[in-house]
Coordinates of all heavy atoms in Angstrom, one line a residue:
M185 N -140.5 -224.2 32.7 CA -140.1 -222.8 32.9 C -139.8 -222.5 34.4 O -140.3 -223.1 35.2 CB -141.1 -221.9 32.2 CG -142.2 -221.4 33.2 SD -143.4 -220.3 32.5 CE -144.2 -221.3 31.3
I186 N -138.8 -221.6 34.6 CA -138.5 -221.1 35.9 C -138.9 -219.8 36.1 O -138.5 -218.9 35.3 CB -136.9 -221.4 36.2 CG1 -136.6 -222.8 35.9 CG2 -136.6 -220.8 37.5 CD1 -135.0 -223.0 36.1
I187 N -139.7 -219.5 37.1 CA -140.2 -218.2 37.4 C -139.7 -217.7 38.8 O -139.9 -218.4 39.7 CB -141.7 -218.1 37.4 CG1 -142.2 -218.4 36.0 CG2 -142.2 -216.7 37.9 CD1 -143.7 -218.5 35.8
A188 N -138.9 -216.6 38.7 CA -138.4 -216.0 40.0 C -139.0 -214.7 40.2 O -139.1 -213.8 39.3 CB -136.9 -215.9 39.9
K189 N -139.5 -214.4 41.4 CA -140.2 -213.1 41.7 C -140.0 -212.7 43.1 O -139.7 -213.6 44.0 CB -141.7 -213.2 41.4 CG -142.5 -214.2 42.1 CD -143.9 -214.3 41.7 CE -144.6 -215.4 42.5 NZ -146.0 -215.6 42.2
P190 N -140.1 -211.5 43.4 CA -139.9 -211.1 44.8 C -141.0 -211.7 45.7 O -142.2 -211.8 45.3 CB -140.2 -209.6 44.8 CG -140.0 -209.1 43.4 CD -140.4 -210.4 42.6
C191 N -140.6 -212.1 46.9 CA -141.6 -212.6 47.9 C -142.4 -211.4 48.5 O -141.9 -210.3 48.8 CB -140.8 -213.3 49.0 SG -141.8 -214.1 50.2
V192 N -143.7 -211.6 48.6 CA -144.6 -210.6 49.1 C -144.7 -210.6 50.6 O -145.1 -209.6 51.2 CB -146.0 -210.7 48.5 CG1 -146.0 -210.5 47.0 CG2 -146.6 -212.1 48.8
T193 N -144.3 -211.5 51.3 CA -144.4 -211.6 52.8 C -143.1 -211.3 53.5 O -143.1 -211.1 54.7 CB -145.0 -212.9 53.2 OG1 -144.1 -214.0 52.8 CG2 -146.4 -213.2 52.7
M194 N -142.0 -211.4 52.8 CA -140.6 -211.2 53.4 C -139.7 -210.8 52.4 O -139.9 -210.8 51.2 CB -140.2 -212.4 54.2 CG -139.9 -213.6 53.2 SD -139.3 -215.0 54.0 CE -137.7 -215.2 53.4
K195 N -138.5 -210.3 52.8 CA -137.5 -209.9 51.9 C -136.8 -211.1 51.4 O -136.2 -211.9 52.1 CB -136.5 -209.0 52.6 CG -135.6 -208.2 51.7 CD -134.7 -207.3 52.6 CE -133.9 -206.5 51.6 NZ -133.1 -205.5 52.4
G196 N -136.9 -211.3 50.1 CA -136.4 -212.5 49.4 C -137.0 -212.7 48.1 O -137.7 -212.0 47.6
T197 N -136.7 -213.9 47.5 CA -137.1 -214.2 46.1 C -137.8 -215.6 46.2 O -137.2 -216.5 46.8 CB -135.9 -214.3 45.1 OG1 -135.3 -212.9 45.1 CG2 -136.4 -214.6 43.7
V198 N -138.9 -215.8 45.5 CA -139.6 -217.1 45.5 C -139.4 -217.6 43.9 O -139.6 -216.9 43.1 CB -141.1 -216.9 45.7 CG1 -141.8 -218.2 45.6 CG2 -141.3 -216.4 47.2
I199 N -139.0 -218.8 43.9 CA -138.7 -219.4 42.6 C -139.6 -220.7 42.5 O -139.6 -221.5 43.4 CB -137.2 -219.8 42.4 CG1 -136.4 -218.5 42.5 CG2 -137.0 -220.4 41.0 CD1 -135.4 -218.6 43.6
S200 N -140.2 -220.8 41.3 CA -141.0 -222.0 41.0 C -140.7 -222.5 39.7 O -140.4 -221.8 38.7 CB -142.6 -221.6 41.1 OG -142.9 -221.2 42.4
G201 N -140.6 -223.8 39.6 CA -140.4 -224.5 38.3 C -141.7 -225.1 37.8 O -142.4 -225.7 38.6
Y202 N -142.0 -224.9 36.5 CA -143.2 -225.3 35.9 C -143.0 -226.2 34.7 O -142.0 -226.0 34.0 CB -144.1 -224.2 35.5 CG -144.6 -223.3 36.7 CD1 -143.9 -222.1 37.0 CD2 -145.7 -223.7 37.5 CE1 -144.3 -221.4 38.1 CE2 -146.1 -222.9 38.5 CZ -145.4 -221.8 38.9 OH -145.8 -221.0 39.9
S203 N -143.9 -227.1 34.4 CA -143.8 -227.9 33.2 C -145.2 -228.2 32.8 O -146.1 -228.5 33.6 CB -143.1 -229.2 33.4 OG -143.2 -230.1 32.3
W204 N -145.5 -228.1 31.5 CA -146.8 -228.5 30.9 C -146.9 -230.0 30.8 O -148.1 -230.5 30.8 CB -147.0 -227.8 29.5 CG -147.0 -226.4 29.5 CD1 -146.0 -225.6 29.0 CD2 -147.9 -225.5 30.1 NE1 -146.3 -224.2 29.2 CE2 -147.5 -224.2 29.9 CE3 -149.1 -225.6 30.8 CZ2 -148.2 -223.0 30.3 CZ3 -149.8 -224.5 31.2 CH2 -149.4 -223.2 31.0
D205 N -145.8 -230.7 30.7 CA -145.8 -232.1 30.5 C -145.7 -233.0 31.6 O -146.3 -234.1 31.7 CB -144.6 -232.5 29.5 CG -144.7 -231.7 28.2 OD1 -145.9 -231.5 27.7 OD2 -143.7 -231.3 27.7
K206 N -145.1 -232.5 32.7 CA -144.8 -233.4 33.9 C -145.0 -232.6 35.2 O -144.5 -231.5 35.3 CB -143.4 -233.9 33.7 CG -143.0 -235.0 34.7 CD -141.6 -235.5 34.4 CE -141.1 -236.5 35.5 NZ -139.8 -237.0 35.3
K207 N -145.5 -233.4 36.2 CA -145.6 -232.8 37.5 C -144.2 -232.7 38.1 O -143.4 -233.6 38.1 CB -146.4 -233.6 38.4 CG -146.7 -233.0 39.8 CD -147.6 -233.9 40.6 CE -147.7 -233.3 42.0 NZ -148.5 -234.2 42.9
I208 N -143.9 -231.5 38.7 CA -142.5 -231.3 39.3 C -142.6 -231.8 40.8 O -143.4 -231.4 41.5 CB -142.2 -229.8 39.4 CG1 -142.2 -229.2 38.0 CG2 -140.8 -229.6 40.0 CD1 -141.4 -229.8 37.0
E209 N -141.7 -232.8 41.0 CA -141.5 -233.3 42.4 C -140.0 -233.4 42.6 O -139.3 -233.9 41.9 CB -142.1 -234.7 42.4 CG -143.7 -234.7 42.4 CD -144.3 -236.1 42.6 OE1 -143.9 -236.8 43.5 OE2 -145.2 -236.4 41.7
V210 N -139.7 -232.9 43.9 CA -138.3 -232.9 44.2 C -138.1 -233.8 45.4 O -138.7 -233.7 46.4 CB -137.8 -231.4 44.7 CG1 -136.5 -231.5 45.2 CG2 -138.0 -230.5 43.4
D211 N -137.2 -234.8 45.2 CA -136.8 -235.7 46.3 C -135.8 -234.9 47.3 O -134.6 -234.7 46.8 CB -136.2 -237.0 45.8 CG -135.8 -237.9 46.9 OD1 -135.4 -237.5 48.0 OD2 -135.8 -239.1 46.6
I212 N -136.3 -234.4 48.3 CA -135.5 -233.5 49.2 C -134.3 -234.2 49.7 O -133.2 -233.6 49.7 CB -136.4 -233.1 50.4 CG1 -137.6 -232.2 49.9 CG2 -135.6 -232.2 51.4 CD1 -137.3 -231.0 49.2
T213 N -134.3 -235.5 50.1 CA -133.1 -236.1 50.6 C -132.1 -236.4 49.5 O -130.9 -236.0 49.7 CB -133.5 -237.5 51.2 OG1 -134.6 -237.3 52.2 CG2 -132.4 -238.2 51.8
K214 N -132.5 -236.8 48.3 CA -131.5 -237.0 47.3 C -130.9 -235.6 46.8 O -129.7 -235.6 46.6 CB -132.3 -237.6 46.0 CG -131.5 -237.8 44.8 CD -132.3 -238.3 43.7 CE -131.8 -237.7 42.3 NZ -132.7 -237.7 41.3
T215 N -131.7 -234.6 46.8 CA -131.2 -233.3 46.3 C -130.2 -232.8 47.4 O -129.2 -232.2 47.1 CB -132.5 -232.4 46.3 OG1 -133.3 -232.9 45.3 CG2 -132.0 -230.9 45.8
A216 N -130.6 -233.0 48.7 CA -129.6 -232.6 49.7 C -128.3 -233.2 49.6 O -127.2 -232.6 49.7 CB -130.2 -232.9 51.1
Q217 N -128.3 -234.5 49.3 CA -127.0 -235.3 49.2 C -126.2 -234.7 48.0 O -125.0 -234.5 48.2 CB -127.3 -236.8 49.0 CG -126.1 -237.6 48.9 CD -125.2 -237.5 50.2 OE1 -125.7 -237.4 51.2 NE2 -123.9 -237.6 50.0
C218 N -126.8 -234.5 46.8 CA -126.2 -233.9 45.7 C -125.6 -232.6 46.0 O -124.5 -232.3 45.6 CB -127.2 -233.9 44.6 SG -126.5 -233.1 43.0
L219 N -126.3 -231.7 46.6 CA -125.8 -230.3 46.9 C -124.7 -230.4 47.9 O -123.8 -229.7 47.8 CB -127.0 -229.5 47.5 CG -128.1 -229.1 46.4 CD1 -129.3 -228.6 47.1 CD2 -127.5 -228.2 45.4
K220 N -124.7 -231.3 48.8 CA -123.7 -231.4 49.8 C -122.4 -231.9 49.1 O -121.3 -231.4 49.3 CB -124.1 -232.5 50.9 CG -123.0 -232.6 52.0 CD -123.5 -233.6 53.1 CE -122.6 -233.7 54.1 NZ -123.0 -234.6 55.2
E221 N -122.5 -232.8 48.1 CA -121.4 -233.3 47.4 C -120.8 -232.1 46.5 O -119.6 -232.2 46.2 CB -121.8 -234.4 46.4 CG -122.1 -235.7 47.2 CD -122.7 -236.8 46.3 OE1 -122.9 -236.6 45.1 OE2 -123.0 -237.8 46.9
R222 N -121.6 -231.1 46.2 CA -121.1 -230.0 45.4 C -120.6 -228.9 46.3 O -120.1 -227.8 45.7 CB -122.2 -229.5 44.5 CG -122.6 -230.4 43.4 CD -123.6 -229.8 42.4 NE -124.1 -230.7 41.4 CZ -124.8 -230.4 40.4 NH1 -125.2 -229.1 40.2 NH2 -125.2 -231.2 39.5
G223 N -120.6 -229.2 47.5 CA -119.9 -228.2 48.5 C -120.8 -227.2 49.2 O -120.3 -226.3 49.9
Y224 N -122.1 -227.3 49.0 CA -123.1 -226.5 49.7 C -123.3 -227.0 51.1 O -123.3 -228.2 51.4 CB -124.4 -226.3 48.9 CG -124.1 -225.7 47.5 CD1 -124.0 -226.5 46.5 CD2 -123.8 -224.3 47.4 CE1 -123.8 -225.9 45.2 CE2 -123.6 -223.7 46.2 CZ -123.6 -224.6 45.1 OH -123.3 -224.0 43.8
T225 N -123.6 -226.0 52.1 CA -123.9 -226.4 53.4 C -125.2 -226.7 53.7 O -126.1 -225.8 53.5 CB -123.4 -225.2 54.4 OG1 -122.0 -224.9 54.1 CG2 -123.6 -225.5 55.9
I226 N -125.6 -227.9 54.1 CA -127.0 -228.3 54.5 C -127.2 -227.9 55.9 O -126.5 -228.4 56.8 CB -127.1 -229.8 54.3 CG1 -126.7 -230.3 52.8 CG2 -128.5 -230.2 54.6 CD1 -127.5 -229.5 51.7
K227 N -128.2 -227.1 56.2 CA -128.4 -226.6 57.6 C -129.4 -227.5 58.3 O -129.3 -227.9 59.4 CB -129.0 -225.2 57.5 CG -128.0 -224.1 57.2 CD -128.5 -222.7 57.3 CE -127.5 -221.7 57.5 NZ -128.1 -220.4 57.8
R228 N -130.5 -227.8 57.5 CA -131.5 -228.7 58.1 C -132.2 -229.5 56.9 O -132.4 -229.0 55.9 CB -132.7 -227.9 58.7 CG -132.2 -227.2 60.0 CD -133.1 -227.7 61.1 NE -132.5 -227.4 62.4 CZ -133.1 -226.6 63.3 NH1 -134.3 -226.2 63.1 NH2 -132.4 -226.5 64.5
L229 N -132.5 -230.8 57.3 CA -133.2 -231.6 56.3 C -134.4 -232.2 57.0 O -134.2 -232.9 58.0 CB -132.3 -232.6 55.7 CG -132.9 -233.7 54.9 CD1 -133.6 -233.2 53.6 CD2 -131.9 -234.8 54.5
F230 N -135.6 -231.9 56.5 CA -136.7 -232.5 57.0 C -137.3 -233.5 55.9 O -138.0 -232.9 55.0 CB -137.8 -231.5 57.4 CG -137.4 -230.5 58.5 CD1 -136.9 -229.3 58.1 CD2 -137.4 -230.9 59.8 CE1 -136.5 -228.4 59.0 CE2 -136.9 -230.0 60.8 CZ -136.5 -228.7 60.4
P231 N -137.0 -234.7 55.9 CA -137.2 -235.6 54.7 C -138.7 -235.5 54.3 O -139.6 -235.6 55.2 CB -136.9 -237.0 55.2 CG -135.8 -236.7 56.2 CD -136.2 -235.5 56.9
G232 N -139.0 -235.3 53.1 CA -140.3 -235.2 52.5 C -141.0 -233.9 52.8 O -142.1 -233.7 52.4
M233 N -140.4 -233.0 53.5 CA -141.0 -231.7 53.9 C -140.3 -230.5 53.4 O -140.8 -229.6 52.8 CB -141.2 -231.6 55.4 CG -142.2 -232.6 55.9 SD -142.3 -232.6 57.7 CE -142.7 -231.0 58.0
M234 N -139.0 -230.4 53.8 CA -138.2 -229.2 53.5 C -136.7 -229.4 53.7 O -136.3 -230.1 54.5 CB -138.7 -228.0 54.4 CG -137.9 -226.7 54.1 SD -138.6 -225.3 55.0 CE -138.6 -225.8 56.7
L235 N -136.0 -228.7 52.8 CA -134.5 -228.6 52.9 C -134.1 -227.2 53.1 O -134.5 -226.3 52.4 CB -133.9 -229.2 51.6 CG -132.4 -228.9 51.4 CD1 -131.6 -229.6 52.5 CD2 -132.0 -229.4 50.0
I236 N -133.2 -227.0 54.1 CA -132.7 -225.6 54.3 C -131.1 -225.7 54.1 O -130.5 -226.5 54.7 CB -133.0 -225.1 55.7 CG1 -134.6 -225.0 55.9 CG2 -132.4 -223.6 55.9 CD1 -135.0 -224.6 57.3
L237 N -130.6 -224.9 53.2 CA -129.2 -224.9 53.0 C -128.6 -223.5 52.7 O -129.5 -222.5 52.6 CB -128.9 -225.7 51.8 CG -129.3 -225.3 50.4 CD1 -128.3 -225.7 49.3 CD2 -130.7 -225.9 50.1
E238 N -127.4 -223.3 52.7 CA -126.7 -222.1 52.4 C -126.1 -222.1 51.0 O -125.3 -223.1 50.7 CB -125.7 -221.8 53.4 CG -125.1 -220.4 53.2 CD -124.2 -220.0 54.4 OE1 -124.4 -220.3 55.5 OE2 -123.1 -219.4 54.1
M239 N -126.4 -221.2 50.2 CA -125.8 -221.2 48.9 C -125.4 -219.7 48.6 O -126.3 -218.8 48.7 CB -126.8 -221.6 47.8 CG -127.2 -223.0 47.8 SD -128.3 -223.5 46.6 CE -127.2 -223.6 45.1
D240 N -124.2 -219.5 48.2 CA -123.7 -218.2 47.9 C -124.0 -217.1 48.9 O -124.4 -216.0 48.5 CB -124.2 -217.7 46.4 CG -123.9 -218.7 45.4 OD1 -122.8 -219.4 45.5 OD2 -124.6 -218.7 44.3
G241 N -124.0 -217.5 50.1 CA -124.2 -216.6 51.2 C -125.7 -216.3 51.6 O -126.0 -215.5 52.5
Y242 N -126.7 -217.0 50.9 CA -128.0 -216.9 51.2 C -128.6 -218.2 51.8 O -128.1 -219.3 51.5 CB -128.8 -216.7 49.9 CG -128.4 -215.4 49.2 CD1 -127.6 -215.3 48.1 CD2 -128.9 -214.1 49.7 CE1 -127.2 -214.2 47.5 CE2 -128.6 -212.9 49.1 CZ -127.7 -213.0 48.1 OH -127.3 -211.7 47.4
E243 N -129.6 -218.0 52.7 CA -130.3 -219.2 53.1 C -131.4 -219.5 52.2 O -132.3 -218.7 51.8 CB -131.0 -218.9 54.5 CG -131.6 -220.0 55.2 CD -132.1 -219.8 56.5 OE1 -131.3 -219.7 57.5 OE2 -133.3 -219.7 56.7
V244 N -131.4 -220.8 51.8 CA -132.4 -221.2 50.7 C -133.2 -222.4 51.3 O -132.7 -223.3 51.9 CB -131.6 -221.8 49.5 CG1 -132.5 -222.2 48.4 CG2 -130.6 -220.7 49.0
S245 N -134.5 -222.3 51.1 CA -135.4 -223.3 51.5 C -136.0 -224.0 50.2 O -136.4 -223.3 49.3 CB -136.6 -222.7 52.3 OG -136.2 -222.1 53.4
V246 N -136.0 -225.3 50.2 CA -136.4 -226.0 49.1 C -137.6 -227.0 49.5 O -137.4 -227.7 50.6 CB -135.3 -226.9 48.4 CG1 -135.8 -227.6 47.2 CG2 -134.1 -226.0 48.2
Y247 N -138.7 -227.0 48.7 CA -139.8 -227.8 49.1 C -140.0 -228.9 48.0 O -139.6 -228.8 46.8 CB -141.1 -226.9 49.2 CG -140.9 -225.9 50.2 CD1 -140.3 -224.6 50.0 CD2 -141.3 -226.1 51.5 CE1 -140.1 -223.7 51.0 CE2 -141.1 -225.2 52.5 CZ -140.6 -224.0 52.3 OH -140.4 -223.0 53.2
P248 N -140.7 -230.1 48.4 CA -140.9 -231.1 47.4 C -141.7 -230.7 46.2 O -141.6 -231.3 45.1 CB -141.8 -232.2 48.2 CG -141.4 -231.9 49.7 CD -141.2 -230.4 49.7
S249 N -142.5 -229.6 46.2 CA -143.2 -229.2 45.0 C -142.3 -228.4 44.1 O -142.8 -228.2 42.9 CB -144.3 -228.2 45.5 OG -143.7 -227.0 46.1
G250 N -141.1 -228.3 44.4 CA -140.2 -227.5 43.6 C -140.1 -226.0 43.9 O -139.2 -225.3 43.3
K251 N -140.9 -225.6 44.8 CA -140.8 -224.2 45.2 C -139.5 -224.0 46.0 O -139.1 -224.8 46.9 CB -142.0 -223.9 46.1 CG -142.0 -222.5 46.7 CD -143.3 -222.3 47.6 CE -143.3 -220.9 48.2 NZ -144.5 -220.7 49.0
I252 N -138.8 -222.8 45.7 CA -137.6 -222.4 46.4 C -137.7 -221.1 46.9 O -138.2 -220.1 46.2 CB -136.4 -222.5 45.3 CG1 -136.3 -223.9 44.8 CG2 -135.1 -222.0 46.0 CD1 -135.3 -224.0 43.7
I253 N -137.3 -220.8 48.1 CA -137.3 -219.4 48.7 C -135.8 -219.1 49.0 O -135.2 -219.8 49.8 CB -138.2 -219.3 49.9 CG1 -139.7 -219.6 49.5 CG2 -138.1 -217.9 50.5 CD1 -140.6 -219.6 50.7
V254 N -135.4 -218.0 48.5 CA -134.0 -217.5 48.9 C -134.2 -216.3 49.7 O -134.6 -215.2 49.2 CB -133.2 -217.2 47.6 CG1 -131.8 -216.8 48.0 CG2 -133.3 -218.4 46.6
K255 N -133.9 -216.3 51.0 CA -134.1 -215.2 51.9 C -133.1 -214.1 51.6 O -131.9 -214.4 51.3 CB -134.0 -215.7 53.4 CG -135.1 -216.6 53.8 CD -134.9 -217.0 55.2 CE -135.9 -218.0 55.6 NZ -135.8 -218.5 56.9
L256 N -133.6 -212.9 51.7 CA -132.8 -211.6 51.6 C -132.3 -211.4 50.1 O -131.6 -210.4 49.9 CB -131.7 -211.6 52.6 CG -132.1 -211.7 54.1 CD1 -130.8 -211.6 55.0 CD2 -133.1 -210.6 54.5
L257 N -132.6 -212.3 49.2 CA -132.1 -212.1 47.8 C -133.1 -211.2 47.1 O -134.4 -211.6 47.1 CB -131.9 -213.4 47.1 CG -131.5 -213.3 45.6 CD1 -130.1 -212.7 45.5 CD2 -131.6 -214.7 45.0
E258 N -132.8 -210.1 46.4 CA -133.7 -209.3 45.7 C -133.4 -209.3 44.1 O -134.1 -208.8 43.4 CB -133.6 -207.8 46.2 CG -134.0 -207.7 47.7 CD -134.0 -206.3 48.2 OE1 -133.8 -205.4 47.4 OE2 -134.2 -206.1 49.3
D259 N -132.3 -210.1 43.8 CA -132.0 -210.2 42.4 C -132.6 -211.5 41.8 O -132.2 -212.6 42.1 CB -130.5 -210.2 42.2 CG -130.0 -210.4 40.8 OD1 -130.8 -210.5 39.9 OD2 -128.7 -210.4 40.7
S260 N -133.7 -211.3 40.9 CA -134.3 -212.5 40.4 C -133.5 -213.4 39.5 O -133.6 -214.6 39.4 CB -135.6 -212.1 39.7 OG -135.4 -211.3 38.6
K261 N -132.5 -212.7 38.8 CA -131.6 -213.4 37.9 C -130.7 -214.4 38.8 O -130.5 -215.5 38.4 CB -130.7 -212.5 37.1 CG -131.4 -211.7 36.1 CD -131.6 -212.5 34.9 CE -132.2 -211.6 33.8 NZ -132.8 -212.3 32.7
K262 N -130.2 -213.9 39.9 CA -129.4 -214.7 40.8 C -130.2 -215.8 41.4 O -129.7 -217.0 41.5 CB -128.8 -213.8 41.9 CG -128.0 -214.6 42.9 CD -126.7 -215.1 42.3 CE -125.8 -215.8 43.3 NZ -124.6 -216.4 42.7
G263 N -131.5 -215.6 41.7 CA -132.4 -216.6 42.1 C -132.6 -217.7 41.1 O -132.6 -218.9 41.5
E264 N -132.7 -217.3 39.9 CA -132.8 -218.3 38.8 C -131.5 -219.1 38.7 O -131.6 -220.4 38.5 CB -133.0 -217.6 37.5 CG -134.0 -218.3 36.6 CD -134.3 -217.5 35.3 OE1 -135.0 -216.5 35.5 OE2 -134.0 -218.0 34.3
E265 N -130.4 -218.6 38.8 CA -129.1 -219.3 38.9 C -129.0 -220.4 39.9 O -128.7 -221.5 39.7 CB -127.9 -218.4 39.0 CG -127.6 -217.5 37.8 CD -126.6 -216.4 38.1 OE1 -125.7 -216.7 39.0 OE2 -126.5 -215.4 37.4
I266 N -129.5 -219.9 41.2 CA -129.5 -220.8 42.3 C -130.5 -221.9 42.0 O -130.2 -223.1 42.3 CB -129.9 -220.0 43.6 CG1 -128.7 -219.1 44.0 CG2 -130.3 -221.0 44.7 CD1 -128.9 -218.2 45.1
A267 N -131.7 -221.6 41.5 CA -132.7 -222.6 41.2 C -132.2 -223.6 40.2 O -132.5 -224.9 40.3 CB -133.9 -222.0 40.7
R268 N -131.4 -223.2 39.2 CA -130.9 -224.2 38.2 C -130.0 -225.2 38.8 O -130.1 -226.4 38.4 CB -130.2 -223.4 37.1 CG -131.1 -222.7 36.2 CD -130.5 -222.1 35.0 NE -131.5 -221.4 34.2 CZ -132.3 -221.9 33.3 NH1 -132.4 -223.2 33.2 NH2 -133.2 -221.1 32.7
I269 N -129.2 -224.8 39.7 CA -128.3 -225.7 40.5 C -129.1 -226.7 41.3 O -128.9 -227.9 41.2 CB -127.3 -225.0 41.4 CG1 -126.4 -224.1 40.5 CG2 -126.5 -225.9 42.3 CD1 -125.6 -223.0 41.3
I270 N -130.1 -226.2 42.0 CA -131.0 -227.1 42.8 C -131.8 -228.1 41.9 O -131.8 -229.2 42.1 CB -131.9 -226.3 43.6 CG1 -131.1 -225.5 44.7 CG2 -133.0 -227.2 44.4 CD1 -131.9 -224.4 45.5
Y271 N -132.4 -227.5 40.9 CA -133.2 -228.3 39.9 C -132.3 -229.4 39.2 O -132.8 -230.5 39.0 CB -133.9 -227.5 38.9 CG -135.1 -226.7 39.5 CD1 -135.4 -225.5 38.9 CD2 -135.8 -227.1 40.6 CE1 -136.4 -224.7 39.5 CE2 -136.8 -226.4 41.2 CZ -137.2 -225.2 40.6 OH -138.2 -224.4 41.1
D272 N -131.0 -229.0 39.0 CA -130.1 -230.0 38.4 C -129.9 -231.2 39.3 O -129.9 -232.3 38.9 CB -128.8 -229.3 38.0 CG -127.9 -230.2 37.3 OD1 -128.4 -231.0 36.4 OD2 -126.7 -230.1 37.5
C273 N -129.6 -230.9 40.6 CA -129.4 -231.9 41.7 C -130.7 -232.7 41.8 O -130.6 -233.9 42.1 CB -129.0 -231.3 43.0 SG -127.2 -231.1 43.0
A274 N -131.9 -232.1 41.7 CA -133.1 -232.8 41.9 C -133.5 -233.6 40.7 O -134.4 -234.4 40.8 CB -134.2 -231.7 42.2
G275 N -132.8 -233.4 39.5 CA -133.0 -234.2 38.4 C -134.3 -233.7 37.6 O -134.8 -234.4 36.8
V276 N -134.7 -232.4 37.8 CA -135.8 -231.9 37.1 C -135.4 -230.7 36.2 O -136.4 -230.1 35.6 CB -137.0 -231.6 38.0 CG1 -137.5 -232.8 38.8 CG2 -136.5 -230.4 39.0
L277 N -134.1 -230.4 36.1 CA -133.8 -229.2 35.3 C -134.3 -229.3 33.9 O -134.7 -228.3 33.3 CB -132.2 -229.1 35.4 CG -131.7 -227.8 34.7 CD1 -132.3 -226.5 35.2 CD2 -130.2 -227.7 34.7
E278 N -134.1 -230.4 33.2 CA -134.6 -230.6 31.8 C -136.1 -230.4 31.8 O -136.5 -229.9 30.7 CB -134.2 -231.9 31.3 CG -132.6 -232.0 31.0 CD -132.3 -233.3 30.3 OE1 -133.1 -234.1 29.9 OE2 -131.0 -233.6 30.3
V279 N -136.8 -230.8 32.7 CA -138.3 -230.7 32.7 C -138.7 -229.2 32.8 O -139.6 -228.8 32.1 CB -138.8 -231.4 33.9 CG1 -140.3 -231.3 33.8 CG2 -138.5 -232.9 33.8
V280 N -138.0 -228.4 33.6 CA -138.4 -227.0 33.8 C -137.6 -226.0 32.8 O -138.0 -224.9 32.8 CB -138.1 -226.5 35.2 CG1 -139.0 -227.3 36.2 CG2 -136.6 -226.5 35.7
S281 N -136.7 -226.5 32.1 CA -135.9 -225.6 31.2 C -136.7 -225.5 29.8 O -137.4 -226.3 29.4 CB -134.5 -226.2 31.0 OG -133.8 -226.1 32.0

């Protein structure tokens, strides 16, 4: 399941992917490569730690745990759409869907 909710510490949306069957782990480097191939701008990549990219005009941070933060986004439905693209590139979309 994908849960998107407003961030309590800053203006933005926090998205998390959950599964009862499998631990969610995102290979940040592999995910960055896939997103780059799909035309998204990679701003910073800290292998094994964090990926920062631009998607649909928003700055998005992705963590190995599957946590995603979309800065300045207040629409949780849009956050879920962004998360689905990222989780698809990470190879965990089927696990969290």
